[in-house]
Short mmCIF file of all heavy atoms in Angstrom, two decimals:
data_model
loop_
_atom_site.label_atom_id
_atom_site.label_comp_id
_atom_site.label_asym_id
_atom_site.label_seq_id
_atom_site.Cartn_x
_atom_site.Cartn_y
_atom_site.Cartn_z
N VAL E 1102 -27.44 148.82 43.94
CA VAL E 1102 -28.28 149.95 44.32
C VAL E 1102 -27.72 151.22 43.68
O VAL E 1102 -26.54 151.52 43.83
CB VAL E 1102 -28.32 150.12 45.86
CG1 VAL E 1102 -29.08 151.37 46.24
CG2 VAL E 1102 -28.90 148.89 46.52
N ILE E 1103 -28.57 151.93 42.97
CA ILE E 1103 -28.15 153.18 42.34
C ILE E 1103 -28.15 154.28 43.39
O ILE E 1103 -29.13 154.49 44.10
CB ILE E 1103 -29.10 153.56 41.19
CG1 ILE E 1103 -29.08 152.49 40.11
CG2 ILE E 1103 -28.72 154.93 40.61
CD1 ILE E 1103 -27.75 152.33 39.40
N ILE E 1104 -27.04 154.98 43.48
CA ILE E 1104 -26.92 156.09 44.43
C ILE E 1104 -27.13 157.42 43.73
O ILE E 1104 -27.80 158.30 44.24
CB ILE E 1104 -25.55 156.04 45.12
CG1 ILE E 1104 -25.42 154.75 45.93
CG2 ILE E 1104 -25.35 157.27 46.02
CD1 ILE E 1104 -24.03 154.48 46.43
N CYS E 1105 -26.54 157.56 42.57
CA CYS E 1105 -26.71 158.78 41.78
C CYS E 1105 -27.49 158.42 40.51
O CYS E 1105 -26.96 157.72 39.64
CB CYS E 1105 -25.36 159.39 41.41
SG CYS E 1105 -25.50 160.80 40.30
N HIS E 1106 -28.72 158.90 40.44
CA HIS E 1106 -29.56 158.56 39.30
C HIS E 1106 -29.18 159.36 38.06
O HIS E 1106 -29.38 158.90 36.94
CB HIS E 1106 -31.04 158.75 39.66
CG HIS E 1106 -31.50 157.75 40.66
ND1 HIS E 1106 -31.96 156.51 40.31
CD2 HIS E 1106 -31.51 157.79 42.01
CE1 HIS E 1106 -32.26 155.82 41.40
NE2 HIS E 1106 -32.00 156.58 42.44
N CYS E 1107 -28.67 160.54 38.25
CA CYS E 1107 -28.29 161.37 37.08
C CYS E 1107 -27.14 160.71 36.31
O CYS E 1107 -27.17 160.66 35.08
CB CYS E 1107 -27.87 162.77 37.52
SG CYS E 1107 -29.23 163.74 38.17
N ALA E 1108 -26.13 160.22 37.02
CA ALA E 1108 -24.96 159.63 36.38
C ALA E 1108 -25.02 158.11 36.40
O ALA E 1108 -24.08 157.45 35.93
CB ALA E 1108 -23.68 160.11 37.05
N VAL E 1109 -26.07 157.56 36.97
CA VAL E 1109 -26.25 156.12 37.11
C VAL E 1109 -25.01 155.49 37.75
O VAL E 1109 -24.33 154.64 37.18
CB VAL E 1109 -26.60 155.43 35.77
CG1 VAL E 1109 -27.07 154.01 36.02
CG2 VAL E 1109 -27.64 156.21 35.01
N VAL E 1110 -24.74 155.95 38.95
CA VAL E 1110 -23.61 155.44 39.73
C VAL E 1110 -24.18 154.64 40.89
O VAL E 1110 -25.02 155.14 41.64
CB VAL E 1110 -22.72 156.58 40.26
CG1 VAL E 1110 -21.64 156.05 41.19
CG2 VAL E 1110 -22.11 157.34 39.08
N GLY E 1111 -23.68 153.43 41.02
CA GLY E 1111 -24.18 152.55 42.05
C GLY E 1111 -23.17 152.25 43.13
O GLY E 1111 -22.02 152.70 43.09
N ASP E 1112 -23.63 151.49 44.09
CA ASP E 1112 -22.81 151.11 45.23
C ASP E 1112 -21.54 150.37 44.81
O ASP E 1112 -20.48 150.55 45.39
CB ASP E 1112 -23.66 150.23 46.14
CG ASP E 1112 -23.13 150.15 47.54
OD1 ASP E 1112 -22.81 151.20 48.12
OD2 ASP E 1112 -23.01 149.02 48.05
N ARG E 1113 -21.65 149.55 43.78
CA ARG E 1113 -20.47 148.79 43.32
C ARG E 1113 -19.38 149.73 42.79
O ARG E 1113 -18.20 149.47 43.00
CB ARG E 1113 -20.87 147.82 42.22
CG ARG E 1113 -21.69 146.68 42.72
CD ARG E 1113 -22.00 145.73 41.61
NE ARG E 1113 -23.00 144.75 42.04
CZ ARG E 1113 -23.63 143.95 41.23
NH1 ARG E 1113 -23.40 144.00 39.94
NH2 ARG E 1113 -24.50 143.10 41.68
N GLN E 1114 -19.79 150.78 42.10
CA GLN E 1114 -18.80 151.72 41.58
C GLN E 1114 -18.12 152.48 42.72
O GLN E 1114 -16.93 152.77 42.65
CB GLN E 1114 -19.45 152.69 40.59
CG GLN E 1114 -19.80 152.02 39.28
CD GLN E 1114 -20.89 152.74 38.55
OE1 GLN E 1114 -22.03 152.73 38.97
NE2 GLN E 1114 -20.53 153.38 37.46
N VAL E 1115 -18.87 152.76 43.75
CA VAL E 1115 -18.29 153.42 44.92
C VAL E 1115 -17.28 152.47 45.57
O VAL E 1115 -16.16 152.87 45.91
CB VAL E 1115 -19.37 153.83 45.94
CG1 VAL E 1115 -18.74 154.37 47.22
CG2 VAL E 1115 -20.30 154.88 45.32
N ALA E 1116 -17.65 151.23 45.74
CA ALA E 1116 -16.74 150.24 46.34
C ALA E 1116 -15.47 150.11 45.51
O ALA E 1116 -14.36 150.05 46.07
CB ALA E 1116 -17.44 148.89 46.46
N GLU E 1117 -15.60 150.08 44.20
CA GLU E 1117 -14.43 149.95 43.33
C GLU E 1117 -13.54 151.19 43.43
O GLU E 1117 -12.31 151.08 43.47
CB GLU E 1117 -14.88 149.73 41.88
CG GLU E 1117 -13.74 149.58 40.90
CD GLU E 1117 -12.80 148.42 41.22
OE1 GLU E 1117 -13.23 147.43 41.83
OE2 GLU E 1117 -11.61 148.52 40.86
N ALA E 1118 -14.16 152.35 43.49
CA ALA E 1118 -13.38 153.59 43.62
C ALA E 1118 -12.59 153.59 44.93
O ALA E 1118 -11.42 153.99 44.96
CB ALA E 1118 -14.31 154.80 43.55
N VAL E 1119 -13.20 153.13 46.00
CA VAL E 1119 -12.50 153.05 47.29
C VAL E 1119 -11.33 152.07 47.19
O VAL E 1119 -10.23 152.33 47.67
CB VAL E 1119 -13.47 152.65 48.43
CG1 VAL E 1119 -12.71 152.30 49.72
CG2 VAL E 1119 -14.46 153.78 48.67
N ARG E 1120 -11.55 150.95 46.52
CA ARG E 1120 -10.46 149.97 46.33
C ARG E 1120 -9.30 150.58 45.55
O ARG E 1120 -8.16 150.22 45.74
CB ARG E 1120 -10.98 148.74 45.59
CG ARG E 1120 -11.51 147.65 46.50
CD ARG E 1120 -11.69 146.33 45.77
NE ARG E 1120 -12.70 146.39 44.74
CZ ARG E 1120 -14.00 146.22 44.95
NH1 ARG E 1120 -14.44 145.98 46.16
NH2 ARG E 1120 -14.86 146.30 43.96
N GLN E 1121 -9.63 151.52 44.67
CA GLN E 1121 -8.59 152.15 43.86
C GLN E 1121 -7.97 153.36 44.55
O GLN E 1121 -7.13 154.04 43.95
CB GLN E 1121 -9.17 152.54 42.50
CG GLN E 1121 -9.52 151.33 41.67
CD GLN E 1121 -10.11 151.71 40.32
OE1 GLN E 1121 -10.28 152.86 40.01
NE2 GLN E 1121 -10.41 150.69 39.53
N GLY E 1122 -8.38 153.65 45.78
CA GLY E 1122 -7.71 154.68 46.56
C GLY E 1122 -8.45 155.98 46.75
O GLY E 1122 -7.91 156.92 47.34
N VAL E 1123 -9.69 156.07 46.30
CA VAL E 1123 -10.47 157.28 46.52
C VAL E 1123 -10.78 157.41 48.01
O VAL E 1123 -11.19 156.45 48.65
CB VAL E 1123 -11.78 157.23 45.70
CG1 VAL E 1123 -12.76 158.28 46.16
CG2 VAL E 1123 -11.46 157.40 44.22
N THR E 1124 -10.55 158.61 48.56
CA THR E 1124 -10.76 158.79 50.00
C THR E 1124 -11.70 159.95 50.32
O THR E 1124 -12.13 160.08 51.46
CB THR E 1124 -9.43 159.03 50.73
OG1 THR E 1124 -8.79 160.18 50.17
CG2 THR E 1124 -8.52 157.81 50.64
N THR E 1125 -11.99 160.81 49.35
CA THR E 1125 -12.85 161.96 49.65
C THR E 1125 -14.07 161.96 48.74
O THR E 1125 -14.07 161.36 47.66
CB THR E 1125 -12.11 163.29 49.46
OG1 THR E 1125 -11.83 163.47 48.06
CG2 THR E 1125 -10.81 163.34 50.26
N THR E 1126 -15.09 162.68 49.18
CA THR E 1126 -16.30 162.80 48.38
C THR E 1126 -16.01 163.48 47.05
O THR E 1126 -16.52 163.07 46.01
CB THR E 1126 -17.37 163.59 49.16
OG1 THR E 1126 -17.58 162.96 50.42
CG2 THR E 1126 -18.69 163.65 48.40
N ALA E 1127 -15.17 164.51 47.08
CA ALA E 1127 -14.83 165.22 45.83
C ALA E 1127 -14.13 164.29 44.85
O ALA E 1127 -14.45 164.29 43.65
CB ALA E 1127 -13.94 166.42 46.15
N GLN E 1128 -13.19 163.49 45.34
CA GLN E 1128 -12.50 162.52 44.47
C GLN E 1128 -13.50 161.52 43.90
O GLN E 1128 -13.43 161.18 42.72
CB GLN E 1128 -11.44 161.74 45.24
CG GLN E 1128 -10.21 162.53 45.59
CD GLN E 1128 -9.26 161.70 46.45
OE1 GLN E 1128 -9.69 160.88 47.26
NE2 GLN E 1128 -7.98 161.93 46.27
N LEU E 1129 -14.40 161.07 44.75
CA LEU E 1129 -15.38 160.07 44.32
C LEU E 1129 -16.28 160.65 43.23
O LEU E 1129 -16.56 159.99 42.23
CB LEU E 1129 -16.21 159.60 45.51
CG LEU E 1129 -17.25 158.54 45.21
CD1 LEU E 1129 -16.61 157.28 44.65
CD2 LEU E 1129 -18.06 158.22 46.44
N CYS E 1130 -16.72 161.88 43.42
CA CYS E 1130 -17.58 162.52 42.43
C CYS E 1130 -16.84 162.72 41.11
O CYS E 1130 -17.39 162.50 40.04
CB CYS E 1130 -18.12 163.84 42.97
SG CYS E 1130 -19.32 163.62 44.30
N ARG E 1131 -15.59 163.14 41.18
CA ARG E 1131 -14.80 163.31 39.95
C ARG E 1131 -14.57 161.98 39.25
O ARG E 1131 -14.68 161.87 38.03
CB ARG E 1131 -13.45 163.95 40.26
CG ARG E 1131 -13.47 165.47 40.32
CD ARG E 1131 -12.08 166.03 40.28
NE ARG E 1131 -11.20 165.50 41.30
CZ ARG E 1131 -11.06 165.99 42.51
NH1 ARG E 1131 -11.72 167.05 42.88
NH2 ARG E 1131 -10.24 165.43 43.38
N THR E 1132 -14.27 160.96 40.04
CA THR E 1132 -13.95 159.64 39.49
C THR E 1132 -15.16 158.97 38.85
O THR E 1132 -15.06 158.41 37.76
CB THR E 1132 -13.39 158.73 40.58
OG1 THR E 1132 -12.23 159.34 41.11
CG2 THR E 1132 -13.04 157.36 40.05
N THR E 1133 -16.30 159.03 39.54
CA THR E 1133 -17.47 158.29 39.07
C THR E 1133 -18.46 159.15 38.27
O THR E 1133 -19.29 158.61 37.55
CB THR E 1133 -18.24 157.70 40.26
OG1 THR E 1133 -18.72 158.77 41.08
CG2 THR E 1133 -17.36 156.76 41.07
N GLY E 1134 -18.39 160.46 38.45
CA GLY E 1134 -19.37 161.34 37.81
C GLY E 1134 -20.58 161.60 38.67
O GLY E 1134 -21.46 162.38 38.30
N ALA E 1135 -20.65 160.95 39.83
CA ALA E 1135 -21.79 161.14 40.73
C ALA E 1135 -21.79 162.57 41.29
O ALA E 1135 -20.75 163.19 41.44
CB ALA E 1135 -21.72 160.14 41.87
N GLY E 1136 -22.97 163.05 41.59
CA GLY E 1136 -23.11 164.32 42.29
C GLY E 1136 -22.81 165.55 41.47
O GLY E 1136 -22.72 166.65 42.02
N GLN E 1137 -22.65 165.41 40.19
CA GLN E 1137 -22.23 166.55 39.38
C GLN E 1137 -23.34 167.14 38.52
O GLN E 1137 -23.09 168.03 37.73
CB GLN E 1137 -21.03 166.16 38.52
CG GLN E 1137 -19.87 165.76 39.39
CD GLN E 1137 -18.58 165.60 38.62
OE1 GLN E 1137 -18.54 165.73 37.42
NE2 GLN E 1137 -17.51 165.34 39.35
N ASP E 1138 -24.57 166.65 38.71
CA ASP E 1138 -25.68 167.23 37.94
C ASP E 1138 -26.62 167.93 38.91
O ASP E 1138 -26.41 169.08 39.24
CB ASP E 1138 -26.37 166.12 37.15
CG ASP E 1138 -27.28 166.67 36.08
OD1 ASP E 1138 -27.56 167.89 36.09
OD2 ASP E 1138 -27.73 165.89 35.21
N CYS E 1139 -27.66 167.26 39.39
CA CYS E 1139 -28.63 167.93 40.27
C CYS E 1139 -28.09 168.08 41.69
O CYS E 1139 -28.53 168.95 42.43
CB CYS E 1139 -29.95 167.18 40.29
SG CYS E 1139 -29.92 165.64 41.21
N GLY E 1140 -27.17 167.21 42.09
CA GLY E 1140 -26.56 167.30 43.41
C GLY E 1140 -27.36 166.70 44.55
O GLY E 1140 -26.92 166.70 45.69
N SER E 1141 -28.53 166.18 44.26
CA SER E 1141 -29.38 165.66 45.34
C SER E 1141 -28.83 164.38 45.97
O SER E 1141 -29.28 163.98 47.04
CB SER E 1141 -30.80 165.41 44.83
OG SER E 1141 -30.80 164.37 43.88
N CYS E 1142 -27.86 163.76 45.35
CA CYS E 1142 -27.33 162.49 45.84
C CYS E 1142 -26.07 162.66 46.69
O CYS E 1142 -25.54 161.67 47.19
CB CYS E 1142 -27.00 161.59 44.67
SG CYS E 1142 -25.70 162.29 43.62
N VAL E 1143 -25.59 163.86 46.84
CA VAL E 1143 -24.27 164.05 47.44
C VAL E 1143 -24.18 163.44 48.85
O VAL E 1143 -23.18 162.81 49.18
CB VAL E 1143 -23.87 165.54 47.44
CG1 VAL E 1143 -22.62 165.77 48.27
CG2 VAL E 1143 -23.65 166.01 46.01
N PHE E 1144 -25.22 163.61 49.65
CA PHE E 1144 -25.17 163.03 51.00
C PHE E 1144 -25.17 161.51 50.94
O PHE E 1144 -24.46 160.85 51.71
CB PHE E 1144 -26.31 163.55 51.86
CG PHE E 1144 -26.12 165.00 52.23
CD1 PHE E 1144 -26.94 165.97 51.69
CD2 PHE E 1144 -25.11 165.39 53.11
CE1 PHE E 1144 -26.75 167.31 52.01
CE2 PHE E 1144 -24.91 166.72 53.43
CZ PHE E 1144 -25.74 167.69 52.89
N ALA E 1145 -25.92 160.95 50.02
CA ALA E 1145 -25.93 159.48 49.86
C ALA E 1145 -24.58 158.99 49.34
O ALA E 1145 -24.09 157.94 49.76
CB ALA E 1145 -27.05 159.07 48.92
N VAL E 1146 -23.98 159.77 48.45
CA VAL E 1146 -22.65 159.41 47.93
C VAL E 1146 -21.64 159.42 49.08
O VAL E 1146 -20.83 158.51 49.23
CB VAL E 1146 -22.22 160.39 46.81
CG1 VAL E 1146 -20.76 160.23 46.46
CG2 VAL E 1146 -23.09 160.20 45.58
N ARG E 1147 -21.71 160.47 49.89
CA ARG E 1147 -20.78 160.58 51.02
C ARG E 1147 -20.97 159.43 52.01
O ARG E 1147 -20.00 158.86 52.51
CB ARG E 1147 -20.98 161.92 51.73
CG ARG E 1147 -20.00 162.11 52.83
CD ARG E 1147 -19.96 163.54 53.30
NE ARG E 1147 -18.85 163.68 54.23
CZ ARG E 1147 -18.98 164.20 55.42
NH1 ARG E 1147 -20.11 164.71 55.81
NH2 ARG E 1147 -17.94 164.27 56.22
N ARG E 1148 -22.22 159.09 52.27
CA ARG E 1148 -22.49 157.99 53.19
C ARG E 1148 -21.94 156.67 52.63
O ARG E 1148 -21.34 155.88 53.36
CB ARG E 1148 -23.99 157.87 53.44
CG ARG E 1148 -24.32 156.71 54.35
CD ARG E 1148 -25.80 156.58 54.61
NE ARG E 1148 -25.95 155.92 55.88
CZ ARG E 1148 -26.36 156.51 56.96
NH1 ARG E 1148 -26.70 157.75 56.96
NH2 ARG E 1148 -26.45 155.84 58.10
N ALA E 1149 -22.15 156.43 51.35
CA ALA E 1149 -21.63 155.21 50.73
C ALA E 1149 -20.11 155.18 50.80
O ALA E 1149 -19.51 154.13 51.07
CB ALA E 1149 -22.10 155.11 49.28
N LEU E 1150 -19.48 156.32 50.57
CA LEU E 1150 -18.02 156.40 50.67
C LEU E 1150 -17.57 156.04 52.09
O LEU E 1150 -16.64 155.24 52.26
CB LEU E 1150 -17.55 157.81 50.29
CG LEU E 1150 -16.06 158.08 50.47
CD1 LEU E 1150 -15.22 157.19 49.56
CD2 LEU E 1150 -15.76 159.55 50.20
N CYS E 1151 -18.22 156.62 53.09
CA CYS E 1151 -17.84 156.34 54.48
C CYS E 1151 -18.04 154.86 54.80
O CYS E 1151 -17.18 154.24 55.44
CB CYS E 1151 -18.68 157.19 55.44
SG CYS E 1151 -18.26 158.93 55.39
N ASP E 1152 -19.14 154.28 54.36
CA ASP E 1152 -19.41 152.86 54.62
C ASP E 1152 -18.34 151.98 53.99
O ASP E 1152 -17.82 151.05 54.63
CB ASP E 1152 -20.78 152.45 54.08
CG ASP E 1152 -21.93 153.06 54.88
OD1 ASP E 1152 -21.68 153.60 55.97
OD2 ASP E 1152 -23.07 153.00 54.38
N HIS E 1153 -17.99 152.26 52.74
CA HIS E 1153 -17.00 151.43 52.06
C HIS E 1153 -15.59 151.66 52.60
O HIS E 1153 -14.79 150.72 52.66
CB HIS E 1153 -17.05 151.66 50.55
CG HIS E 1153 -18.24 151.01 49.92
ND1 HIS E 1153 -18.35 149.65 49.78
CD2 HIS E 1153 -19.39 151.53 49.45
CE1 HIS E 1153 -19.51 149.36 49.24
NE2 HIS E 1153 -20.16 150.48 49.03
N ARG E 1154 -15.30 152.89 53.00
CA ARG E 1154 -13.98 153.15 53.60
C ARG E 1154 -13.86 152.40 54.92
O ARG E 1154 -12.81 151.83 55.23
CB ARG E 1154 -13.77 154.64 53.82
CG ARG E 1154 -13.43 155.37 52.54
CD ARG E 1154 -13.07 156.80 52.79
NE ARG E 1154 -11.93 156.88 53.68
CZ ARG E 1154 -11.57 157.98 54.31
NH1 ARG E 1154 -12.25 159.08 54.18
NH2 ARG E 1154 -10.51 158.00 55.09
N ALA E 1155 -14.93 152.40 55.72
CA ALA E 1155 -14.90 151.68 56.99
C ALA E 1155 -14.71 150.19 56.77
O ALA E 1155 -13.92 149.53 57.46
CB ALA E 1155 -16.20 151.94 57.76
N ALA E 1156 -15.41 149.66 55.78
CA ALA E 1156 -15.27 148.23 55.47
C ALA E 1156 -13.86 147.92 54.98
O ALA E 1156 -13.27 146.90 55.36
CB ALA E 1156 -16.30 147.82 54.42
N ALA E 1157 -13.30 148.80 54.16
CA ALA E 1157 -11.94 148.59 53.64
C ALA E 1157 -10.92 148.67 54.77
O ALA E 1157 -9.97 147.88 54.82
CB ALA E 1157 -11.63 149.63 52.57
N THR E 1158 -11.11 149.59 55.70
CA THR E 1158 -10.21 149.72 56.84
C THR E 1158 -10.28 148.47 57.71
O THR E 1158 -9.26 147.94 58.14
CB THR E 1158 -10.57 150.97 57.67
OG1 THR E 1158 -10.46 152.12 56.83
CG2 THR E 1158 -9.66 151.12 58.87
N GLU E 1159 -11.50 148.01 57.95
CA GLU E 1159 -11.66 146.80 58.77
C GLU E 1159 -10.98 145.60 58.11
O GLU E 1159 -10.31 144.81 58.77
CB GLU E 1159 -13.15 146.53 58.97
CG GLU E 1159 -13.41 145.37 59.91
CD GLU E 1159 -14.88 145.20 60.15
OE1 GLU E 1159 -15.51 146.17 60.61
OE2 GLU E 1159 -15.39 144.09 59.89
N GLN E 1160 -11.14 145.50 56.80
CA GLN E 1160 -10.52 144.39 56.07
C GLN E 1160 -8.99 144.50 56.14
O GLN E 1160 -8.30 143.49 56.30
CB GLN E 1160 -10.97 144.40 54.63
CG GLN E 1160 -10.55 143.18 53.86
CD GLN E 1160 -11.15 143.17 52.46
OE1 GLN E 1160 -11.52 144.21 51.93
NE2 GLN E 1160 -11.27 142.00 51.89
N ALA E 1161 -8.46 145.71 56.07
CA ALA E 1161 -7.01 145.90 56.16
C ALA E 1161 -6.50 145.50 57.54
O ALA E 1161 -5.43 144.89 57.66
CB ALA E 1161 -6.66 147.36 55.86
N VAL E 1162 -7.27 145.81 58.57
CA VAL E 1162 -6.87 145.43 59.93
C VAL E 1162 -6.86 143.91 60.07
O VAL E 1162 -5.93 143.33 60.63
CB VAL E 1162 -7.82 146.06 60.99
CG1 VAL E 1162 -7.60 145.45 62.37
CG2 VAL E 1162 -7.63 147.56 61.03
N VAL E 1163 -7.88 143.28 59.53
CA VAL E 1163 -7.95 141.82 59.58
C VAL E 1163 -6.75 141.21 58.88
O VAL E 1163 -6.12 140.27 59.39
CB VAL E 1163 -9.27 141.30 58.95
CG1 VAL E 1163 -9.22 139.80 58.75
CG2 VAL E 1163 -10.45 141.70 59.80
N GLN E 1164 -6.39 141.76 57.72
CA GLN E 1164 -5.25 141.22 56.98
C GLN E 1164 -3.93 141.48 57.70
O GLN E 1164 -3.03 140.66 57.68
CB GLN E 1164 -5.21 141.83 55.57
CG GLN E 1164 -6.33 141.31 54.70
CD GLN E 1164 -6.39 142.03 53.36
OE1 GLN E 1164 -5.75 143.05 53.17
NE2 GLN E 1164 -7.19 141.51 52.45
N THR E 1165 -3.83 142.62 58.37
CA THR E 1165 -2.59 143.00 59.07
C THR E 1165 -2.45 142.23 60.37
O THR E 1165 -1.40 141.65 60.68
CB THR E 1165 -2.57 144.52 59.35
OG1 THR E 1165 -2.70 145.19 58.11
CG2 THR E 1165 -1.28 144.91 60.03
N VAL E 1166 -3.49 142.25 61.17
CA VAL E 1166 -3.44 141.66 62.51
C VAL E 1166 -3.83 140.18 62.48
O VAL E 1166 -3.38 139.40 63.31
CB VAL E 1166 -4.35 142.45 63.47
CG1 VAL E 1166 -4.33 141.85 64.88
CG2 VAL E 1166 -3.95 143.91 63.51
N GLY E 1167 -4.68 139.83 61.54
CA GLY E 1167 -5.12 138.46 61.45
C GLY E 1167 -6.29 138.14 62.37
O GLY E 1167 -6.59 136.99 62.61
N VAL E 1168 -6.93 139.17 62.88
CA VAL E 1168 -8.06 138.98 63.77
C VAL E 1168 -9.28 139.62 63.13
O VAL E 1168 -9.22 140.78 62.71
CB VAL E 1168 -7.80 139.61 65.15
CG1 VAL E 1168 -9.03 139.51 66.03
CG2 VAL E 1168 -6.60 138.97 65.79
N ASP E 1169 -10.37 138.90 63.05
CA ASP E 1169 -11.61 139.46 62.53
C ASP E 1169 -12.34 140.12 63.69
O ASP E 1169 -12.96 139.47 64.51
CB ASP E 1169 -12.45 138.35 61.91
CG ASP E 1169 -13.64 138.92 61.15
OD1 ASP E 1169 -13.93 140.12 61.30
OD2 ASP E 1169 -14.29 138.14 60.43
N VAL E 1170 -12.23 141.45 63.74
CA VAL E 1170 -12.84 142.22 64.83
C VAL E 1170 -14.35 142.02 64.86
O VAL E 1170 -14.93 141.88 65.93
CB VAL E 1170 -12.50 143.73 64.68
CG1 VAL E 1170 -13.16 144.55 65.77
CG2 VAL E 1170 -10.99 143.93 64.70
N ALA E 1171 -14.98 141.99 63.70
CA ALA E 1171 -16.42 141.84 63.64
C ALA E 1171 -16.86 140.47 64.17
O ALA E 1171 -17.93 140.34 64.75
CB ALA E 1171 -16.92 142.03 62.21
N ALA E 1172 -16.02 139.47 63.98
CA ALA E 1172 -16.38 138.12 64.41
C ALA E 1172 -16.07 137.89 65.89
O ALA E 1172 -16.61 136.97 66.49
CB ALA E 1172 -15.62 137.10 63.58
N SER E 1173 -15.23 138.73 66.48
CA SER E 1173 -14.88 138.50 67.88
C SER E 1173 -15.77 139.25 68.83
O SER E 1173 -16.61 139.99 68.48
CB SER E 1173 -13.43 138.93 68.13
OG SER E 1173 -13.25 140.30 67.84
S1 FES C 2354 -28.77 162.17 41.49
FE1 FES C 2354 -26.63 162.48 41.53
S2 FES C 2354 -26.31 164.35 40.51
FE2 FES C 2354 -28.44 164.03 40.38
#
């Protein structure tokens, strides 16, 4: 799914950026190029960042604790 049409940045690129340690919207925009032209995608970019950060945090908890919170 394309999130930023100006820079053609999709959900996969956001997920990869989060895996590489991006934690803020500004970092994500600098890293991927999203949100730096018309700016209409910034809220969608932020939402995608939050979704992927939450998923990454949940996965880290599962790996650390060994319990799948979503499955329990
Ligand atoms: S749609 Fe992202 S900057 Fe225009």
Side-chain angles (χ1 to χ4, degrees):
V1102 174
I1103 298 295
I1104 297 169
C1105 175
H1106 292 274
C1107 292
V1109 192
V1110 174
D1112 199 48
R1113 289 182 190 168
Q1114 287 157 290
V1115 173
E1117 180 59 28
V1119 169
R1120 270 194 295 275
Q1121 293 179 358
V1123 165
T1124 58
T1125 68
T1126 305
Q1128 287 176 326
L1129 181 60
C1130 290
R1131 275 194 306 271
T1132 301
T1133 63
Q1137 299 190 357
D1138 195 347
C1139 74
S1141 66
C1142 63
V1143 170
F1144 289 110
V1146 168
R1147 184 166 188 232
R1148 178 180 206 108
L1150 174 63
C1151 290
D1152 290 348
H1153 285 288
R1154 283 186 60 196
T1158 301
E1159 185 176 303
Q1160 189 174 22
V1162 168
V1163 169
Q1164 289 173 348
T1165 302
V1166 180
V1168 175
D1169 190 348
V1170 178
S1173 60

